[in-house]
Amino acid sequence: MPTGSSSLPASLPASAFEGWDGSTAQARELQLALARRVCLEDDFVPLRRVAGVDVGFEEGGTITRAAALLLDAESLQVLASRLVRQPTSMPYVPGLLSFRELPAVLEALRGLPELPDLIFSDGHGIAHPRRLGIAAHLGVVTGLPTIGVAKTILTGVHAELGEERGARVDLCERRTGEVIGSVLRSKTRVRPLIVSPGHRVSLASAPELVMRFVTRYRLPEPTRLADRLASRRDEA
DNA sequence: GCGACAG
DNA sequence: ATCTTGTCGC
């Protein structure tokens, strides 16, 4: 079987949650099982192509719009972009975001001419109650390296953060003190980003990679562009 | 039992 | 996320 040729979007899994019965209870169990497969070791080189994915909604939330863009890691030039629309399957439930958004995201990724070496996803990676935010979920089911870039905290606490661009502090699990991500000031005097590894990226590398793709805006280019496309403040 | 709660 | 205009600040 074609097990070695894994550079085609067609190799992406058909489903992000095999055998899910639709219940929120089983969804949480599935998250615990998938979280055990998360890899926090750096394994994303060579980094030639990166992707940004995000989701938006239309028609009062009945239609889900997922955007995926492929950029050259060196020039940040957009090589390809894909926008897919699907009927929304379930409401937003804190902690279960991936069950609502991943189907559309996977479909958008399938439309890219090639798979990326790293994916920047909106939302959290392991900075999640069960360590499986949408970025981690996406990474585990696709096998691709991923990083979660969120605008607000879902869970965790942190020390005060410096005001200058580049300032960073650990995001920790309140009870155990376990480090689950970083609070990162991507721009001076701007609300910080919450960055956490999704899959095949370490806690230390995640914020460095994000800064590497930040230009003049708060969000790193892959997610900023995907955000614009998915939220239709754009065209296509 | 009472909050908190990515997008 | 989305509904929404102008406005203050770097």
Side-chain angles (χ1 to χ4, degrees):
Chain A
M1 291 311 286
T3 313
S5 58
S6 57
S7 282
L8 295 174
S11 68
L12 290 172
S15 170
F17 13 84
E18 200 62 48
W20 179 42
D21 66 9
S23 71
T24 56
Q26 195 192 63
R28 295 188 175 90
E29 291 177 13
L30 191 47
Q31 291 184 317
L32 292 174
L34 291 173
R36 286 186 252 118
R37 300 193 207 172
V38 168
C39 171
L40 295 181
E41 301 280 300
D42 285 320
D43 181 26
F44 51 78
V45 289
L47 191 53
R48 298 164 45 250
R49 305 286 193 255
V50 299
V53 298
D54 190 28
V55 170
F57 299 88
E58 302 177 358
E59 309 302 307
T62 59
I63 298 298
T64 297
R65 290 167 52 109
L69 286 88
L70 185 70
L71 332 208
D72 177 80
E74 180 59 40
S75 66
L76 298 195
Q77 181 180 128
V78 177
L79 303 174
S81 67
R82 187 77 177 191
L83 177 65
V84 302
R85 304 177 36 168
Q86 300 183 348
T88 299
S89 60
M90 70 173 270
Y92 166 66
V93 178
L96 300 183
L97 182 67
S98 60
F99 288 79
R100 169 176 162 88
E101 306 187 342
L102 274 191
V105 167
L106 286 176
E107 189 54 43
L109 284 172
R110 286 191 196 94
L112 294 178
E114 65 178 278
L115 289 181
D117 300 306
L118 172 66
I119 301 174
F120 284 82
S121 170
D122 201 46
H124 296 101
I126 63 170
H128 174 281
R130 289 169 293 285
R131 306 291 175 274
L132 197 86
I134 188 169
H137 193 157
L138 175 62
V140 169
V141 301
T142 62
L144 298 172
T146 60
I147 290 180
V149 180
K151 303 174 193 64
T152 64
I153 294 174
L154 205 208
T155 185
V157 296
H158 65 85
E160 282 198 29
L161 180 68
E163 294 293 295
E164 330 71 40
R165 172 196 176 99
R168 187 205 75 79
V169 295
D170 289 334
L171 176 66
C172 306
E173 167 58 51
R174 180 188 292 277
R175 304 304 297 277
T176 68
E178 172 191 6
V179 179
I180 55 178
S182 295
V183 180
L184 179 67
R185 191 83 71 181
S186 58
K187 296 286 291 180
T188 298
R189 279 183 291 283
V190 163
R191 283 183 303 145
L193 296 179
I194 312 306
V195 178
S196 61
H199 187 52
R200 296 170 61 183
V201 174
S202 69
L203 279 159
S205 297
E208 293 179 355
L209 284 164
V210 167
M211 287 310 290
R212 175 167 161 181
F213 290 93
V214 167
T215 60
R216 58 178 302 193
Y217 306 92
R218 179 166 82 123
L219 297 173
E221 289 302 283
T223 45
R224 185 181 73 83
L225 296 173
D227 211 60
R228 284 199 68 74
L229 184 54
S231 299
R232 80 227 241 68
R233 278 166 287 166
D234 190 294
E235 200 53 39

